Amino acid sequence: AQSVTQLGSHVSVSEGALVLLRCNYSSSVPPYLFWYVQYPNQGLQLLLKYTTGATLVKGINGFEAEFKKSETSFHLTKPSAHMSDAAEYFCAVSERVGGYQKVTFGTGTKLQVIP
Amino acid sequence: DAGVIQSPRHEVTEMGQEVTLRCKPISGHNSLFWYRQTMMRGLELLIYFNNNVPIDDSGMPEDRFSAKMPNASFSTLKIQPSEPRDSAVYFCASSKTGTGDSGELFFGEGSRLTVL
């Protein structure tokens, strides 16, 4: 069975500092991996995804993530945090189960950006 | 293009009342998911429909919860009778499922349910 672990339920960074949100996964087959962002009182929206090919994936708003198979990790980074990045971020893994792509979400990491 | 549309956005009801949440998926998407989000349990998958047929309802908490998808453009999640512990944000998500699909989900803005 697949699972996702996000290290740190809350992360605080200063505006302009590096953002690093950690995600480790377990999967019995090569997975598809996702990062979603949730702003207050809104639904989740896709930031980026890894399916196949290049292991460094670029997403919206300057975020990127690198798939490292040997470490079973898919950490999310952004070189310089902006106040508008304050939100909750969810890592997710998808694998085929019973004929459909079953998506399992991590518990989320709330990012606080300090001015 | 219209995204996933959920209604109501907010619902406050009293214990024992029936609650019906509604969802219109993105046109052309053939898979629909209902999730529940709480502080304690995070995001939980309640039920998954493919081509209007319930495929996986193992996440439905108990018999008080039921979900239907009478056609490709409409789904409901019903709670009867409601209890305070059902208070949560309920999300509907849709996706286009087929060969080679990745499982990318498109979420609605959620229905925030408060049961007093």
Side-chain angles (χ1 to χ4, degrees):
Chain A
Q2 59 192 15
S3 67
V4 178
T5 301
Q6 290 185 241
L7 206 61
S9 59
H10 290 81
V11 170
S12 292
V13 300
S14 298
E15 190 176 14
L18 171 72
V19 176
L20 170 60
L21 304 182
R22 299 178 187 274
C23 172
N24 288 88
Y25 69 92
S26 70
S27 175
S28 56
V29 298
Y32 295 144
L33 296 160
F34 307 82
W35 277 99
Y36 287 84
V37 60
Q38 184 180 28
Y39 298 102
N41 300 314
Q42 293 187 25
L44 281 71
Q45 55 184 280
L46 185 71
L47 258 185
L48 50 79
K49 66 179 178 182
Y50 168 79
T51 54
T52 59
T55 56
L56 182 62
V57 180
K58 294 187 186 298
I60 61 172
N61 302 335
F63 284 93
E64 61 183 36
E66 186 169 12
F67 169 56
K68 292 188 176 180
K69 185 178 178 181
S70 61
E71 298 177 9
T72 60
S73 69
F74 191 57
H75 301 331
L76 181 71
T77 60
K78 181 173 179 177
S80 176
H82 192 273
M83 295 300 294
S84 60
D85 295 326
E88 189 160 16
Y89 293 80
F90 292 88
C91 182
V93 61
S94 164
E95 66 177 22
R96 201 147 193 91
V97 174
Y100 80 98
Q101 289 295 130
K102 183 167 184 176
V103 180
T104 300
F105 286 89
T107 51
T109 298
K110 281 190 178 172
L111 176 66
Q112 180 186 21
V113 181
I114 303 166
Chain B
D1 287 342
V4 175
I5 300 172
Q6 291 187 246
S7 65
R9 288 295 313 278
H10 302 274
E11 175 91 7
V12 180
T13 191
E14 293 191 345
M15 183 174 65
Q17 296 298 305
E18 177 180 294
V19 174
T20 299
L21 308 178
R22 298 172 177 79
C23 175
K24 177 179 169 58
I26 292 172
S27 177
H29 283 189
N30 59 346
S31 291
L32 185 139
F33 304 79
W34 282 100
Y35 283 87
R36 177 170 68 177
Q37 186 178 39
T38 60
M39 291 288 291
M40 293 299 295
R41 301 172 71 94
L43 266 170
E44 303 173 274
L45 175 64
L46 299 178
I47 188 168
Y48 156 64
F49 291 88
N50 183 250
N51 293 324
N52 312 338
V53 176
I55 302 299
D56 181 357
D57 65 355
S58 58
M60 294 286 264
E62 49 198 274
D63 291 346
R64 297 185 297 105
F65 285 69
S66 62
K68 293 183 179 179
M69 191 164 187
N71 57 63
S73 58
F74 184 65
S75 176
T76 59
L77 178 67
K78 187 175 292 188
I79 308 172
Q80 166 66 16
S82 58
E83 296 182 2
R85 61 191 168 122
D86 302 330
S87 297
V89 182
Y90 291 81
F91 287 102
C92 176
S94 70
S95 71
K96 196 168 185 179
T97 305
T99 303
D101 70 87
S102 66
E104 178 182 347
L105 299 174
F106 295 79
F107 283 81
E109 296 200 322
S111 293
R112 182 177 294 276
L113 173 64
T114 303
V115 183
L116 303 175

PDB file of all heavy atoms in Angstrom, chain A residues 73-104:
ATOM      1  N   SER A  73      11.956  10.252  -2.173  1.00  0.00           N
ATOM      2  CA  SER A  73      11.589  11.591  -1.745  1.00  0.00           C
ATOM      3  C   SER A  73      11.110  12.426  -2.919  1.00  0.00           C
ATOM      4  O   SER A  73      11.436  12.152  -4.088  1.00  0.00           O
ATOM      5  CB  SER A  73      12.775  12.281  -1.066  1.00  0.00           C
ATOM      6  OG  SER A  73      13.790  12.575  -2.007  1.00  0.00           O
ATOM      7  N   PHE A  74      10.351  13.460  -2.590  1.00  0.00           N
ATOM      8  CA  PHE A  74       9.830  14.396  -3.596  1.00  0.00           C
ATOM      9  C   PHE A  74       9.669  15.733  -2.890  1.00  0.00           C
ATOM     10  O   PHE A  74       8.578  16.246  -2.717  1.00  0.00           O
ATOM     11  CB  PHE A  74       8.511  13.869  -4.160  1.00  0.00           C
ATOM     12  CG  PHE A  74       8.011  14.609  -5.379  1.00  0.00           C
ATOM     13  CD1 PHE A  74       8.791  14.717  -6.525  1.00  0.00           C
ATOM     14  CD2 PHE A  74       6.740  15.163  -5.399  1.00  0.00           C
ATOM     15  CE1 PHE A  74       8.331  15.383  -7.656  1.00  0.00           C
ATOM     16  CE2 PHE A  74       6.256  15.830  -6.525  1.00  0.00           C
ATOM     17  CZ  PHE A  74       7.053  15.939  -7.654  1.00  0.00           C
ATOM     18  N   HIS A  75      10.793  16.324  -2.488  1.00  0.00           N
ATOM     19  CA  HIS A  75      10.773  17.560  -1.713  1.00  0.00           C
ATOM     20  C   HIS A  75      10.445  18.766  -2.592  1.00  0.00           C
ATOM     21  O   HIS A  75      10.907  18.844  -3.741  1.00  0.00           O
ATOM     22  CB  HIS A  75      12.119  17.794  -1.024  1.00  0.00           C
ATOM     23  CG  HIS A  75      12.523  16.683  -0.098  1.00  0.00           C
ATOM     24  ND1 HIS A  75      11.616  15.888   0.568  1.00  0.00           N
ATOM     25  CD2 HIS A  75      13.760  16.230   0.242  1.00  0.00           C
ATOM     26  CE1 HIS A  75      12.263  15.010   1.303  1.00  0.00           C
ATOM     27  NE2 HIS A  75      13.568  15.188   1.125  1.00  0.00           N
ATOM     28  N   LEU A  76       9.721  19.700  -2.032  1.00  0.00           N
ATOM     29  CA  LEU A  76       9.292  20.916  -2.744  1.00  0.00           C
ATOM     30  C   LEU A  76      10.183  22.080  -2.330  1.00  0.00           C
ATOM     31  O   LEU A  76      10.435  22.275  -1.133  1.00  0.00           O
ATOM     32  CB  LEU A  76       7.837  21.230  -2.393  1.00  0.00           C
ATOM     33  CG  LEU A  76       7.207  22.446  -3.070  1.00  0.00           C
ATOM     34  CD1 LEU A  76       6.970  22.169  -4.559  1.00  0.00           C
ATOM     35  CD2 LEU A  76       5.881  22.810  -2.384  1.00  0.00           C
ATOM     36  N   THR A  77      10.653  22.847  -3.303  1.00  0.00           N
ATOM     37  CA  THR A  77      11.512  23.979  -2.996  1.00  0.00           C
ATOM     38  C   THR A  77      11.095  25.210  -3.785  1.00  0.00           C
ATOM     39  O   THR A  77      10.458  25.129  -4.833  1.00  0.00           O
ATOM     40  CB  THR A  77      12.995  23.674  -3.305  1.00  0.00           C
ATOM     41  OG1 THR A  77      13.117  23.369  -4.706  1.00  0.00           O
ATOM     42  CG2 THR A  77      13.512  22.514  -2.488  1.00  0.00           C
ATOM     43  N   LYS A  78      11.493  26.361  -3.225  1.00  0.00           N
ATOM     44  CA  LYS A  78      11.357  27.636  -3.915  1.00  0.00           C
ATOM     45  C   LYS A  78      12.496  28.509  -3.404  1.00  0.00           C
ATOM     46  O   LYS A  78      12.693  28.612  -2.197  1.00  0.00           O
ATOM     47  CB  LYS A  78      10.008  28.290  -3.632  1.00  0.00           C
ATOM     48  CG  LYS A  78       9.823  29.625  -4.365  1.00  0.00           C
ATOM     49  CD  LYS A  78       8.426  30.183  -4.205  1.00  0.00           C
ATOM     50  CE  LYS A  78       8.299  31.517  -4.937  1.00  0.00           C
ATOM     51  NZ  LYS A  78       6.921  32.081  -4.868  1.00  0.00           N
ATOM     52  N   PRO A  79      13.267  29.103  -4.296  1.00  0.00           N
ATOM     53  CA  PRO A  79      14.472  29.822  -3.869  1.00  0.00           C
ATOM     54  C   PRO A  79      14.179  31.005  -2.939  1.00  0.00           C
ATOM     55  O   PRO A  79      14.936  31.265  -2.011  1.00  0.00           O
ATOM     56  CB  PRO A  79      15.082  30.311  -5.187  1.00  0.00           C
ATOM     57  CG  PRO A  79      14.479  29.450  -6.241  1.00  0.00           C
ATOM     58  CD  PRO A  79      13.131  29.073  -5.761  1.00  0.00           C
ATOM     59  N   SER A  80      13.070  31.695  -3.172  1.00  0.00           N
ATOM     60  CA  SER A  80      12.815  32.925  -2.431  1.00  0.00           C
ATOM     61  C   SER A  80      11.334  33.021  -2.090  1.00  0.00           C
ATOM     62  O   SER A  80      10.494  33.163  -2.983  1.00  0.00           O
ATOM     63  CB  SER A  80      13.249  34.128  -3.273  1.00  0.00           C
ATOM     64  OG  SER A  80      12.936  35.343  -2.627  1.00  0.00           O
ATOM     65  N   ALA A  81      11.023  32.942  -0.797  1.00  0.00           N
ATOM     66  CA  ALA A  81       9.622  32.941  -0.369  1.00  0.00           C
ATOM     67  C   ALA A  81       9.002  34.322  -0.515  1.00  0.00           C
ATOM     68  O   ALA A  81       9.636  35.347  -0.263  1.00  0.00           O
ATOM     69  CB  ALA A  81       9.525  32.490   1.083  1.00  0.00           C
ATOM     70  N   HIS A  82       7.738  34.293  -0.900  1.00  0.00           N
ATOM     71  CA  HIS A  82       6.940  35.510  -1.007  1.00  0.00           C
ATOM     72  C   HIS A  82       5.781  35.392  -0.040  1.00  0.00           C
ATOM     73  O   HIS A  82       5.326  34.281   0.281  1.00  0.00           O
ATOM     74  CB  HIS A  82       6.433  35.645  -2.449  1.00  0.00           C
ATOM     75  CG  HIS A  82       5.858  36.976  -2.767  1.00  0.00           C
ATOM     76  ND1 HIS A  82       4.543  37.294  -2.541  1.00  0.00           N
ATOM     77  CD2 HIS A  82       6.437  38.093  -3.289  1.00  0.00           C
ATOM     78  CE1 HIS A  82       4.315  38.540  -2.902  1.00  0.00           C
ATOM     79  NE2 HIS A  82       5.444  39.046  -3.353  1.00  0.00           N
ATOM     80  N   MET A  83       5.293  36.542   0.421  1.00  0.00           N
ATOM     81  CA  MET A  83       4.187  36.538   1.383  1.00  0.00           C
ATOM     82  C   MET A  83       2.990  35.740   0.852  1.00  0.00           C
ATOM     83  O   MET A  83       2.295  35.054   1.611  1.00  0.00           O
ATOM     84  CB  MET A  83       3.750  37.957   1.711  1.00  0.00           C
ATOM     85  CG  MET A  83       4.802  38.791   2.439  1.00  0.00           C
ATOM     86  SD  MET A  83       5.268  38.072   4.018  1.00  0.00           S
ATOM     87  CE  MET A  83       3.728  38.231   4.915  1.00  0.00           C
ATOM     88  N   SER A  84       2.791  35.800  -0.449  1.00  0.00           N
ATOM     89  CA  SER A  84       1.639  35.117  -1.044  1.00  0.00           C
ATOM     90  C   SER A  84       1.791  33.588  -1.053  1.00  0.00           C
ATOM     91  O   SER A  84       0.842  32.878  -1.404  1.00  0.00           O
ATOM     92  CB  SER A  84       1.423  35.600  -2.478  1.00  0.00           C
ATOM     93  OG  SER A  84       2.564  35.319  -3.269  1.00  0.00           O
ATOM     94  N   ASP A  85       2.966  33.092  -0.665  1.00  0.00           N
ATOM     95  CA  ASP A  85       3.165  31.637  -0.604  1.00  0.00           C
ATOM     96  C   ASP A  85       2.598  31.022   0.666  1.00  0.00           C
ATOM     97  O   ASP A  85       2.562  29.797   0.796  1.00  0.00           O
ATOM     98  CB  ASP A  85       4.658  31.297  -0.693  1.00  0.00           C
ATOM     99  CG  ASP A  85       5.265  31.690  -2.028  1.00  0.00           C
ATOM    100  OD1 ASP A  85       4.560  31.617  -3.054  1.00  0.00           O
ATOM    101  OD2 ASP A  85       6.455  32.064  -2.045  1.00  0.00           O
ATOM    102  N   ALA A  86       2.181  31.848   1.592  1.00  0.00           N
ATOM    103  CA  ALA A  86       1.610  31.331   2.843  1.00  0.00           C
ATOM    104  C   ALA A  86       0.348  30.542   2.529  1.00  0.00           C
ATOM    105  O   ALA A  86      -0.625  31.080   1.981  1.00  0.00           O
ATOM    106  CB  ALA A  86       1.302  32.476   3.787  1.00  0.00           C
ATOM    107  N   ALA A  87       0.382  29.264   2.847  1.00  0.00           N
ATOM    108  CA  ALA A  87      -0.714  28.348   2.500  1.00  0.00           C
ATOM    109  C   ALA A  87      -0.386  26.993   3.098  1.00  0.00           C
ATOM    110  O   ALA A  87       0.638  26.823   3.764  1.00  0.00           O
ATOM    111  CB  ALA A  87      -0.861  28.230   0.980  1.00  0.00           C
ATOM    112  N   GLU A  88      -1.258  26.030   2.857  1.00  0.00           N
ATOM    113  CA  GLU A  88      -0.967  24.652   3.256  1.00  0.00           C
ATOM    114  C   GLU A  88      -0.623  23.855   2.003  1.00  0.00           C
ATOM    115  O   GLU A  88      -1.293  23.972   0.974  1.00  0.00           O
ATOM    116  CB  GLU A  88      -2.144  24.029   3.995  1.00  0.00           C
ATOM    117  CG  GLU A  88      -1.812  22.679   4.624  1.00  0.00           C
ATOM    118  CD  GLU A  88      -2.765  22.278   5.729  1.00  0.00           C
ATOM    119  OE1 GLU A  88      -3.863  22.857   5.837  1.00  0.00           O
ATOM    120  OE2 GLU A  88      -2.403  21.360   6.501  1.00  0.00           O
ATOM    121  N   TYR A  89       0.399  23.035   2.111  1.00  0.00           N
ATOM    122  CA  TYR A  89       0.904  22.279   0.976  1.00  0.00           C
ATOM    123  C   TYR A  89       0.768  20.785   1.252  1.00  0.00           C
ATOM    124  O   TYR A  89       1.132  20.302   2.333  1.00  0.00           O
ATOM    125  CB  TYR A  89       2.377  22.640   0.709  1.00  0.00           C
ATOM    126  CG  TYR A  89       2.539  24.067   0.241  1.00  0.00           C
ATOM    127  CD1 TYR A  89       2.533  25.121   1.158  1.00  0.00           C
ATOM    128  CD2 TYR A  89       2.669  24.377  -1.112  1.00  0.00           C
ATOM    129  CE1 TYR A  89       2.646  26.437   0.733  1.00  0.00           C
ATOM    130  CE2 TYR A  89       2.785  25.681  -1.546  1.00  0.00           C
ATOM    131  CZ  TYR A  89       2.770  26.705  -0.614  1.00  0.00           C
ATOM    132  OH  TYR A  89       2.881  28.010  -1.038  1.00  0.00           O
ATOM    133  N   PHE A  90       0.253  20.079   0.255  1.00  0.00           N
ATOM    134  CA  PHE A  90       0.021  18.646   0.377  1.00  0.00           C
ATOM    135  C   PHE A  90       0.811  17.892  -0.685  1.00  0.00           C
ATOM    136  O   PHE A  90       0.723  18.208  -1.872  1.00  0.00           O
ATOM    137  CB  PHE A  90      -1.467  18.317   0.195  1.00  0.00           C
ATOM    138  CG  PHE A  90      -2.349  18.827   1.301  1.00  0.00           C
ATOM    139  CD1 PHE A  90      -2.891  20.105   1.239  1.00  0.00           C
ATOM    140  CD2 PHE A  90      -2.634  18.027   2.396  1.00  0.00           C
ATOM    141  CE1 PHE A  90      -3.708  20.574   2.262  1.00  0.00           C
ATOM    142  CE2 PHE A  90      -3.452  18.493   3.419  1.00  0.00           C
ATOM    143  CZ  PHE A  90      -3.982  19.766   3.355  1.00  0.00           C
ATOM    144  N   CYS A  91       1.549  16.905  -0.240  1.00  0.00           N
ATOM    145  CA  CYS A  91       2.200  15.976  -1.139  1.00  0.00           C
ATOM    146  C   CYS A  91       1.257  14.797  -1.349  1.00  0.00           C
ATOM    147  O   CYS A  91       0.529  14.404  -0.423  1.00  0.00           O
ATOM    148  CB  CYS A  91       3.513  15.517  -0.512  1.00  0.00           C
ATOM    149  SG  CYS A  91       4.492  14.396  -1.524  1.00  0.00           S
ATOM    150  N   ALA A  92       1.246  14.237  -2.542  1.00  0.00           N
ATOM    151  CA  ALA A  92       0.351  13.122  -2.825  1.00  0.00           C
ATOM    152  C   ALA A  92       1.039  12.135  -3.755  1.00  0.00           C
ATOM    153  O   ALA A  92       1.877  12.504  -4.580  1.00  0.00           O
ATOM    154  CB  ALA A  92      -0.950  13.607  -3.456  1.00  0.00           C
ATOM    155  N   VAL A  93       0.675  10.868  -3.606  1.00  0.00           N
ATOM    156  CA  VAL A  93       1.188   9.809  -4.471  1.00  0.00           C
ATOM    157  C   VAL A  93       0.004   9.095  -5.107  1.00  0.00           C
ATOM    158  O   VAL A  93      -1.053   8.938  -4.487  1.00  0.00           O
ATOM    159  CB  VAL A  93       2.089   8.828  -3.678  1.00  0.00           C
ATOM    160  CG1 VAL A  93       1.297   8.157  -2.569  1.00  0.00           C
ATOM    161  CG2 VAL A  93       2.691   7.788  -4.594  1.00  0.00           C
ATOM    162  N   SER A  94       0.186   8.698  -6.339  1.00  0.00           N
ATOM    163  CA  SER A  94      -0.882   8.038  -7.077  1.00  0.00           C
ATOM    164  C   SER A  94      -0.349   6.739  -7.655  1.00  0.00           C
ATOM    165  O   SER A  94       0.721   6.730  -8.263  1.00  0.00           O
ATOM    166  CB  SER A  94      -1.357   8.967  -8.202  1.00  0.00           C
ATOM    167  OG  SER A  94      -2.118   8.282  -9.158  1.00  0.00           O
ATOM    168  N   GLU A  95      -1.081   5.651  -7.437  1.00  0.00           N
ATOM    169  CA  GLU A  95      -0.717   4.398  -8.089  1.00  0.00           C
ATOM    170  C   GLU A  95      -1.993   3.665  -8.466  1.00  0.00           C
ATOM    171  O   GLU A  95      -3.063   3.894  -7.896  1.00  0.00           O
ATOM    172  CB  GLU A  95       0.188   3.540  -7.217  1.00  0.00           C
ATOM    173  CG  GLU A  95      -0.439   3.008  -5.949  1.00  0.00           C
ATOM    174  CD  GLU A  95       0.512   2.094  -5.167  1.00  0.00           C
ATOM    175  OE1 GLU A  95       1.738   2.184  -5.349  1.00  0.00           O
ATOM    176  OE2 GLU A  95       0.012   1.276  -4.367  1.00  0.00           O
ATOM    177  N   ARG A  96      -1.833   2.782  -9.452  1.00  0.00           N
ATOM    178  CA  ARG A  96      -2.997   2.103 -10.004  1.00  0.00           C
ATOM    179  C   ARG A  96      -3.452   0.996  -9.052  1.00  0.00           C
ATOM    180  O   ARG A  96      -2.696   0.089  -8.720  1.00  0.00           O
ATOM    181  CB  ARG A  96      -2.682   1.537 -11.391  1.00  0.00           C
ATOM    182  CG  ARG A  96      -3.924   1.296 -12.196  1.00  0.00           C
ATOM    183  CD  ARG A  96      -3.662   1.520 -13.690  1.00  0.00           C
ATOM    184  NE  ARG A  96      -4.899   1.589 -14.449  1.00  0.00           N
ATOM    185  CZ  ARG A  96      -5.563   2.714 -14.702  1.00  0.00           C
ATOM    186  NH1 ARG A  96      -5.079   3.872 -14.258  1.00  0.00           N
ATOM    187  NH2 ARG A  96      -6.683   2.710 -15.380  1.00  0.00           N
ATOM    188  N   VAL A  97      -4.694   1.100  -8.645  1.00  0.00           N
ATOM    189  CA  VAL A  97      -5.290   0.122  -7.738  1.00  0.00           C
ATOM    190  C   VAL A  97      -6.666  -0.232  -8.270  1.00  0.00           C
ATOM    191  O   VAL A  97      -7.511   0.652  -8.438  1.00  0.00           O
ATOM    192  CB  VAL A  97      -5.421   0.689  -6.300  1.00  0.00           C
ATOM    193  CG1 VAL A  97      -6.168  -0.289  -5.401  1.00  0.00           C
ATOM    194  CG2 VAL A  97      -4.067   1.027  -5.720  1.00  0.00           C
ATOM    195  N   GLY A  98      -6.881  -1.500  -8.544  1.00  0.00           N
ATOM    196  CA  GLY A  98      -8.212  -1.932  -8.963  1.00  0.00           C
ATOM    197  C   GLY A  98      -8.738  -1.197 -10.165  1.00  0.00           C
ATOM    198  O   GLY A  98      -9.926  -0.917 -10.256  1.00  0.00           O
ATOM    199  N   GLY A  99      -7.869  -0.840 -11.100  1.00  0.00           N
ATOM    200  CA  GLY A  99      -8.329  -0.221 -12.332  1.00  0.00           C
ATOM    201  C   GLY A  99      -8.397   1.286 -12.310  1.00  0.00           C
ATOM    202  O   GLY A  99      -8.824   1.890 -13.299  1.00  0.00           O
ATOM    203  N   TYR A 100      -8.038   1.920 -11.206  1.00  0.00           N
ATOM    204  CA  TYR A 100      -8.019   3.374 -11.242  1.00  0.00           C
ATOM    205  C   TYR A 100      -6.817   3.892 -10.468  1.00  0.00           C
ATOM    206  O   TYR A 100      -6.185   3.159  -9.720  1.00  0.00           O
ATOM    207  CB  TYR A 100      -9.319   3.949 -10.678  1.00  0.00           C
ATOM    208  CG  TYR A 100      -9.428   4.011  -9.170  1.00  0.00           C
ATOM    209  CD1 TYR A 100      -9.168   5.184  -8.473  1.00  0.00           C
ATOM    210  CD2 TYR A 100      -9.822   2.889  -8.435  1.00  0.00           C
ATOM    211  CE1 TYR A 100      -9.289   5.249  -7.093  1.00  0.00           C
ATOM    212  CE2 TYR A 100      -9.941   2.945  -7.056  1.00  0.00           C
ATOM    213  CZ  TYR A 100      -9.680   4.129  -6.391  1.00  0.00           C
ATOM    214  OH  TYR A 100      -9.804   4.184  -5.019  1.00  0.00           O
ATOM    215  N   GLN A 101      -6.482   5.163 -10.713  1.00  0.00           N
ATOM    216  CA  GLN A 101      -5.354   5.793 -10.041  1.00  0.00           C
ATOM    217  C   GLN A 101      -5.812   6.268  -8.666  1.00  0.00           C
ATOM    218  O   GLN A 101      -6.524   7.257  -8.546  1.00  0.00           O
ATOM    219  CB  GLN A 101      -4.828   6.982 -10.858  1.00  0.00           C
ATOM    220  CG  GLN A 101      -4.100   6.609 -12.135  1.00  0.00           C
ATOM    221  CD  GLN A 101      -2.806   5.850 -11.904  1.00  0.00           C
ATOM    222  OE1 GLN A 101      -2.577   4.800 -12.505  1.00  0.00           O
ATOM    223  NE2 GLN A 101      -1.957   6.349 -11.010  1.00  0.00           N
ATOM    224  N   LYS A 102      -5.387   5.551  -7.643  1.00  0.00           N
ATOM    225  CA  LYS A 102      -5.768   5.911  -6.287  1.00  0.00           C
ATOM    226  C   LYS A 102      -4.762   6.928  -5.757  1.00  0.00           C
ATOM    227  O   LYS A 102      -3.557   6.679  -5.791  1.00  0.00           O
ATOM    228  CB  LYS A 102      -5.813   4.691  -5.384  1.00  0.00           C
ATOM    229  CG  LYS A 102      -6.289   5.014  -3.973  1.00  0.00           C
ATOM    230  CD  LYS A 102      -6.613   3.759  -3.196  1.00  0.00           C
ATOM    231  CE  LYS A 102      -7.191   4.111  -1.829  1.00  0.00           C
ATOM    232  NZ  LYS A 102      -7.612   2.917  -1.074  1.00  0.00           N
ATOM    233  N   VAL A 103      -5.251   8.049  -5.267  1.00  0.00           N
ATOM    234  CA  VAL A 103      -4.393   9.118  -4.776  1.00  0.00           C
ATOM    235  C   VAL A 103      -4.410   9.116  -3.250  1.00  0.00           C
ATOM    236  O   VAL A 103      -5.475   9.123  -2.636  1.00  0.00           O
ATOM    237  CB  VAL A 103      -4.863  10.491  -5.301  1.00  0.00           C
ATOM    238  CG1 VAL A 103      -3.946  11.593  -4.781  1.00  0.00           C
ATOM    239  CG2 VAL A 103      -4.891  10.499  -6.825  1.00  0.00           C
ATOM    240  N   THR A 104      -3.215   9.102  -2.666  1.00  0.00           N
ATOM    241  CA  THR A 104      -3.082   9.185  -1.210  1.00  0.00           C
ATOM    242  C   THR A 104      -2.368  10.489  -0.867  1.00  0.00           C
ATOM    243  O   THR A 104      -1.302  10.776  -1.427  1.00  0.00           O
ATOM    244  CB  THR A 104      -2.278   7.992  -0.672  1.00  0.00           C
ATOM    245  OG1 THR A 104      -2.951   6.780  -1.017  1.00  0.00           O
ATOM    246  CG2 THR A 104      -2.125   8.082   0.833  1.00  0.00           C
TER     247      THR A 104
END
